[in-house]
Structure formats: C-alpha cells, structure tokens
Amino acid sequence: MSDAVAQLEEVRANIARAEREAGRPAGSVALVAVSKTFDADAIRPVLAAGQRVFGENRVQEAQAKWPGLRQEFPGIELHLIGPLQSNKAKEAVALFDVVETVDREKIAAELAKEIARQGRVLRLYVQVNTGLEPQKAGIDPREAAAFVARCRDVHGLAVEGLMCIPPAGENPGPHFALLEKLAREAGVEKLSMGMSGDYATAVAFGATNVRVGSAIFGGRPPLTPAA
Ligand SMILES: *Cc1c(COP(=O)(O)O)cnc(C)c1O
C-alpha cells in the first residue's frame, strides 16, 4: 500500500470518528483530497483506493493532470479551491465540477457567462475572508449574505455553500463558527472548511466538506508565486 493510501484511510477514519463525536450521521462530511503539486503518478493510487473527490488550486496545473486521469477513472469530481482569475473562467468552467472560490462580482459574471455558453452545470461556493486578511482572497464576512443573493438574483448562479481558510496560527474554531452563521444567514447548506491541521475541529463546527492535502499526500515544496 502506498503511503498516500494508508494516510487516506487514516484521514477517513478520523473524519468518521469526528462525525460520531459530533453526533452527526456517518458519511455527512465529504473528503476533498487536495492533490495540488502532486503529479498523476502520485494521485493514481489514491484514485485506485476509491477516492473520487479532489481539489486543485491552479487551473493550468489541473488541466495538465486531470483530463488524462478522468479517462482512467470514472466519476471524478474536481473542485477548484484556489483563486480564479477572470481570464481563466473559460478553462475553469470546462474542467471543474465545483468552484469554491467565487469572491467577487467580476468572477460571478464571468462564470455565469461561461456556464451558459458551455452548457455546463457547476456547483459554486463563495469564499469568505473570515479573518479579514488583506493578502487573502474571499469576500468580507459582512457582505457575504448580500453577495450570495446577488450571485442568484443578478447573475442567475445557484450558490450551494461557503468556504473559508482561517488565518494561519489562529484558533480556527471562531472562524468555522462564523462561516456556519453566515451560511445560515445566506440560506446555503454547505460549509467547506478544515484542512490537514484542523479538519476534525471543522467537522465539530458543521463542515460538510473538508479539504485535506498534506495529511494524505505528504509535505509539499514551499509555495512559489502563481504563474
Ligand atoms: C492547499 C490547500 C488545502 C490543503 O491544505 P493541507 O494543509 O495540505 O491539508 C486546503 N484548502 C486550500 C484552499 C488549499 O489551498
């Protein structure tokens, strides 16, 4: 068994335990395996072990890996979890099933246009900058509910959930609680929150999707600026 498969099983077991401890139904939390920076050879064993939902943070990198893997494995669901530039909306709509990072009017407009043009069905999340960090993507929490409504009413986009990345080094609990409250205000069901270091906490706060990378695939090289 590859390391990644053993670690996948461990993450799944931890999610199941966190569901039980939170009194939530088994299987109520979806695991998004974050495969950014890992190549097709590293991802294939995890697909062979049955994982079908994956997250990538760059459109170009995902385009290089996933069309081929999709031919090998049926039923793959791909989530875009990194910032989307409006000039990449066309490629993103063609490749991804879920975009978790809708965070401004221009992106909503571009996505709506491409979804209509390509006749695709995409599931969408609005990213919320719960820590109001200047360098981080995401809409201001105070504007989240109104933005979800504008996506629906102005752009005809059905948003199904909210997503957040709490500030590094902070207790994530208050950020998860805020996202849950904002989702209720905005009338959306899904909560994408929790990463390798805090996914069990996120399950306790109501996450419906956790995005777990390094706990499955191992460490990544340090970040390089987006091309
Ligand atoms: C990389 C990334 C993750 C996964 O992070 P890990 O700490 O490796 O689990 C989750 N969400 C987003 C938005 C990411 O960019």
Side-chain angles (χ1 to χ4, degrees):
M1 192 154 64
S2 83
D3 283 358
V5 171
Q7 284 161 184
L8 171 71
E9 299 306 339
E10 194 178 316
V11 168
R12 282 186 179 154
N14 289 339
I15 291 171
R17 184 181 327 111
E19 286 171 339
R20 269 196 312 278
E21 286 175 358
R24 301 183 53 192
S28 50
V29 179
L31 170 60
V32 179
V34 176
S35 49
K36 66 188 186 196
T37 77
F38 291 93
D39 64 13
D41 286 340
I43 299 169
R44 212 172 269 115
V46 173
L47 278 158
Q51 177 67 26
R52 284 296 180 273
V53 185
F54 290 84
E56 290 280 347
N57 69 335
R58 291 183 188 176
V59 176
Q60 256 170 328
E61 182 190 338
Q63 274 180 317
K65 298 190 281 200
W66 286 97
L69 289 168
R70 276 205 155 118
Q71 295 201 322
E72 292 175 56
F73 297 90
I76 288 170
E77 179 182 301
L78 206 54
H79 291 225
L80 178 64
I81 61 170
L84 179 59
Q85 272 98 46
S86 51
N87 63 358
K88 298 260 177 65
K90 180 178 168 193
E91 286 87 347
V93 167
L95 181 64
F96 289 93
D97 304 292
V98 182
V99 173
E100 298 201 10
T101 51
V102 183
D103 68 349
R104 58 194 188 280
E105 206 71 37
K106 190 171 179 202
I107 288 296
E110 284 295 323
L111 285 172
K113 191 177 89 189
E114 281 302 326
I115 286 169
R117 205 180 61 79
Q118 300 183 32
R120 292 263 301 152
V121 177
L122 249 74
R123 288 154 49 202
L124 302 173
Y125 288 65
V126 165
Q127 182 175 353
V128 183
N129 189 351
T130 58
L132 291 170
E133 294 173 279
Q135 84 289 2
K136 196 167 270 176
I139 195 149
D140 184 313
R142 292 161 293 204
E143 291 158 19
F147 181 61
V148 167
R150 285 180 62 76
C151 285
R152 183 186 60 228
D153 300 337
V154 178
H155 302 290
L157 295 172
V159 172
E160 71 172 34
L162 302 182
M163 177 273 223
C164 76
I165 310 169
E170 260 185 47
N171 174 9
H175 296 274
F176 297 155
L178 174 60
L179 199 71
E180 196 273 334
K181 173 171 161 279
L182 294 172
R184 269 188 283 122
E185 285 172 12
V188 298
E189 301 268 307
K190 303 281 181 138
L191 290 170
S192 174
M193 55 193 200
M195 310 184 5
S196 290
D198 55 20
Y199 63 91
T201 305
V203 171
F205 279 93
T208 61
N209 303 355
V210 293
R211 310 177 308 269
V212 180
S214 48
I216 297 171
F217 290 101
R220 291 179 297 267
L223 277 181
T224 51

